[in-house]
Amino acid sequence: MSPHWEHFSHDADMGVRGIGNSLAQAFEQAALAMTAIIVDPPAVRPAERVPIHCECPDQELLLVDWLNALVYEMACRNMLFSRFQLKIEDDRLTGTALGEPVDRERHRPTVEVKGATYTALRVKQRKDGSWLAQCVVDV
């Protein structure tokens, strides 16, 4: 199974779903799905590295915290991210988001993601051994 991401509709908001061979890969794909709501991910150069650390008591809360950390970094640094490198051990996520400052002419962002929510929140290992990480993000 190759890692991939999907969107799913939810009323006025948008669902993001990441699927990967590991928990970390599923989280990376969910982040890529979130980026794809804003912009075409290949249009974002992975030129700058931003370290991100999260710690939560369970995997579902860790997903929401991870996505919200990205929303915070995008807003504060005026950046978009297109690549992610994560390591998840126990309740701790250590990672790097790679991206570049927003160039409105080149990136043409369509919407702003305000935050990840607990709606449709799900993190689980599937029967085939792959991992799924999903939630709805507020747009």
Side-chain angles (χ1 to χ4, degrees):
M1 190 229 44
S2 56
H4 64 280
W5 57 266
E6 303 168 349
H7 291 144
F8 59 94
S9 61
H10 183 273
D11 297 330
D13 294 318
M14 181 69 76
V16 295
R17 180 178 294 135
I19 299 167
N21 293 320
S22 67
L23 179 61
Q25 204 171 49
F27 276 41
E28 291 169 1
Q29 291 298 311
L32 200 52
M34 186 170 74
T35 296
I37 293 171
I38 305 164
V39 65
D40 183 25
V44 180
R45 291 180 237 159
E48 295 181 29
R49 305 171 71 86
V50 175
I52 296 178
H53 304 278
C54 304
E55 190 168 335
C56 283
D58 71 46
Q59 295 169 339
E60 290 181 335
L61 295 177
L62 191 61
L63 174 65
V64 171
D65 203 38
W66 156 241
L67 295 177
N68 281 329
L70 290 173
V71 169
Y72 174 81
E73 295 295 342
M74 285 189 289
C76 290
R77 296 174 188 265
N78 193 31
M79 289 183 69
L80 294 166
F81 301 110
S82 61
R83 282 188 39 208
F84 309 95
Q85 299 167 336
L86 297 185
K87 183 177 177 184
I88 300 174
E89 290 180 335
D90 300 323
D91 302 334
R92 268 180 268 159
L93 177 153
T94 305
T96 304
L98 296 100
E100 65 177 330
V102 175
D103 177 334
R104 295 210 175 275
E105 295 236 351
R106 188 166 52 82
H107 293 129
R108 300 184 183 268
T110 55
V111 295
E112 177 184 359
V113 173
K114 299 173 190 157
T117 72
Y118 298 135
T119 304
L121 178 59
R122 203 162 158 204
V123 174
K124 71 171 197 168
Q125 190 167 23
R126 303 186 321 175
K127 289 180 181 174
D128 66 359
S130 65
W131 284 85
L132 175 140
Q134 73 172 37
C135 72
V136 169
V137 295
D138 187 15
V139 292

